[in-house]
Amino acid sequence: MVTVADTQVTWLTQEAYDRLKHELDELIENRPVIAARINDSREEGDLKENGGYHAAREEQGQAEARIRHLQELLRSAKVGEAPANDGIAEPGKVLTVRYDGDDEEEKFLLATREEGAEGEIDVYSPESPLGKALLGAKEGESREYELPNGNTMKVTLVKAVPYTG
């Protein structure tokens, strides 16, 4: 089991930070619109059978949850600080791996979904079983992780380079 104390820090490019900040600003600006929709639906009468009211309340709950998530993410994010090009697997790096018994290599970004949302490369979370297993691995090092079916898979880190967007 590999433990890295720094895994809760989210590394974001300036572009990703700006995109998420823009989304947050739009959600906050939209609060009065949702509140007005709730109020208008409430005035239609019986709340138990008022689908528009319940839909607006659900939309408000989802928007508020996303606002809280984005606020926390942006508050703790490291912006524009690319990790060192030291060949060690960590968030913000593009990892090239080879699975035991497979000749093909796989490349993915070890990061949060928010960071890789616009990219063309697959994104694996540092909290995923594969991500946790690879954290701190050096190029050429092999690690094992548990598959959903309970079996274990051996994976070798071939290359780890900073993500450049």
Side-chain angles (χ1 to χ4, degrees):
M1 182 67 124
V2 177
T3 306
V4 178
D6 209 8
T7 57
Q8 294 308 314
V9 172
T10 302
W11 178 83
L12 295 173
T13 60
Q14 188 64 51
E15 177 186 345
Y17 180 89
D18 293 344
R19 179 173 39 83
L20 294 171
K21 177 75 171 106
H22 180 71
E23 179 186 349
L24 175 62
D25 292 343
E26 283 184 347
L27 286 168
I28 290 172
E29 286 175 24
N30 198 35
R31 277 176 165 163
V33 174
I34 297 173
R37 208 170 314 140
I38 290 171
N39 201 35
D40 291 347
S41 297
R42 184 182 292 131
E43 292 174 2
E44 291 174 9
D46 187 6
L47 296 181
K48 283 186 229 161
E49 296 178 14
N50 188 331
Y53 171 79
H54 293 290
R57 292 286 305 197
E58 177 71 21
E59 181 183 355
Q60 181 186 42
Q62 291 174 350
E64 290 301 319
R66 182 68 177 160
I67 287 170
R68 285 190 303 276
H69 174 74
L70 288 174
Q71 286 173 331
E72 183 57 35
L73 180 75
L74 295 174
R75 183 174 16 258
S76 64
K78 284 188 179 181
V79 181
E81 297 176 29
N85 191 1
D86 54 10
I88 296 175
E90 61 184 327
K93 297 246 181 118
V94 174
L95 306 182
T96 304
V97 298
R98 185 177 304 115
Y99 298 97
D100 201 28
D102 193 354
D103 293 336
E104 302 266 328
E105 292 180 348
E106 181 181 0
K107 216 181 227 190
F108 59 87
L109 172 63
L110 188 63
T112 63
R113 297 281 175 215
E114 280 81 4
E115 171 58 32
E118 300 292 313
E120 304 214 354
I121 188 168
D122 287 336
V123 180
Y124 287 35
S125 168
E127 298 300 311
S128 69
L130 177 59
K132 284 181 181 178
L134 287 171
L135 276 175
K138 294 176 178 61
E139 290 178 355
E141 188 175 339
S142 294
R143 300 272 178 96
E144 287 189 354
Y145 69 101
E146 190 172 331
L147 299 171
N149 65 9
N151 293 336
T152 59
M153 171 65 77
K154 187 174 183 181
V155 62
T156 301
L157 179 63
V158 176
K159 192 169 185 83
V161 296
Y163 177 64
T164 56

